[in-house]
Amino acid sequence: MDHKQVPSLAGAWLDGELPADSRIEMEAHLAGCADCRERIDAERAFLARLKSTATYHPAPGGLAARLSQALRAEETKNVVPLKHRSRPGISWRGTALAASFVLAVLLSGGIGYMGSLPASGDLITQQIVDSHVRSLLANHLTDVTSTDQHTVKPWFNGHLDTAPPVKNFAGEGFPLIGGRLDYIDHRPVAAMVYRHGLHPINLFVWADPAKTAGQPSVTERQGYNIRHWVQGDLTYWLISDVEADQLAALEALLRKGE
């Protein structure tokens, strides 16, 4: 891969849509080319600015099924025997086609249902996204920059009541690059920062004794993959534009190391 190919592939690479062989070539080229890395960082920051202004409200459960049912009822009601059909008699098709289009877009996840407000858990998810985006826009990923977990963990000791567990998984492809203080759900929280290739990953951790361990959640918001779980009295949130299976691999490492 050379410089000329990078601009045309940058968007697909940032969105995690490149085939595996092309992704490997792209990452190998970026590892040795400062100019192309700068180009990619600029495009990543631009996309982050766009995502930071976007809003999303998930459709309520059952909406797609209700629309599909209404569409079928409309089609049944408007069926006219062929011998009785006249030119104006086909006007129902416009309604059916419009409903079909709305349903297709909803099923594909293209739009959210704007009539509903997000629940409290969803508000925290959005805060996680916003904090991740801010860290990229402001070039403020870390307050303490170090790959040494024995440097990062003591730094949190003086800034939070509860020091989070800090691990470095450089050998597994997820090197620790540092940590910072952030603010989520009306409280200061620890943010540990990892990288996978050229993708920054934020891990937010805070103590919440009121939370109980349940099923972990996996979601996607504004182009970012997000994973959330509770272990003991600590709440964990992982977020990145890295591929979903890679983020799952980091979660597994974090859980194993706890």
Side-chain angles (χ1 to χ4, degrees), residues 12 32 50 67 106 151 171 178:
L50 291 180
L67 284 173
L106 284 168
T151 298

Side-chain angles (χ1 to χ4, degrees), residues 35-110:
D35 289 342
C36 287
R37 285 200 304 273
E38 184 176 350
R39 181 192 296 270
I40 289 289
D41 286 343
E43 185 155 347
R44 179 186 284 119
F46 172 72
L47 291 173
R49 282 194 294 273
L50 291 180
K51 291 174 181 177
S52 67
T53 60
T55 58
Y56 175 80
H57 300 284
L63 177 61
R66 292 197 297 274
L67 284 173
S68 181
Q69 184 179 12
L71 175 59
R72 288 194 298 271
E74 182 72 14
E75 289 176 343
T76 301
K77 182 177 68 175
N78 287 283
V79 169
V80 179
L82 184 61
K83 63 181 181 179
H84 296 308
R85 291 183 187 176
S86 61
R87 189 72 178 175
I90 65 171
S91 62
W92 67 273
R93 293 178 182 174
T95 301
L97 288 173
S100 298
F101 174 76
V102 171
L103 178 60
V105 173
L106 284 168
L107 290 175
S108 67

Side-chain angles (χ1 to χ4, degrees), residues 106-188:
L106 284 168
L107 290 175
S108 67
I111 61 172
Y113 181 67
M114 299 305 292
S116 63
L117 292 175
S120 60
D122 195 60
L123 287 171
I124 295 177
T125 302
Q126 189 59 51
Q127 289 180 47
I128 295 294
V129 174
D130 292 343
S131 292
H132 180 72
V133 170
R134 280 196 302 271
S135 72
L136 299 176
L137 288 178
N139 195 25
H140 181 208
L141 279 170
T142 60
D143 291 324
V144 53
T145 303
S146 177
T147 60
D148 184 357
Q149 63 203 58
H150 302 295
T151 298
V152 176
K153 184 179 177 65
W155 184 87
F156 282 115
N157 282 332
H159 295 83
L160 294 172
D161 293 337
T162 302
V166 181
K167 302 292 183 180
N168 186 7
F169 302 107
E172 293 84 359
F174 299 95
L176 175 73
I177 65 171
R180 73 174 185 281
L181 285 179
D182 215 305
Y183 195 78
I184 302 288
D185 194 25
H186 312 294
R187 73 190 77 195

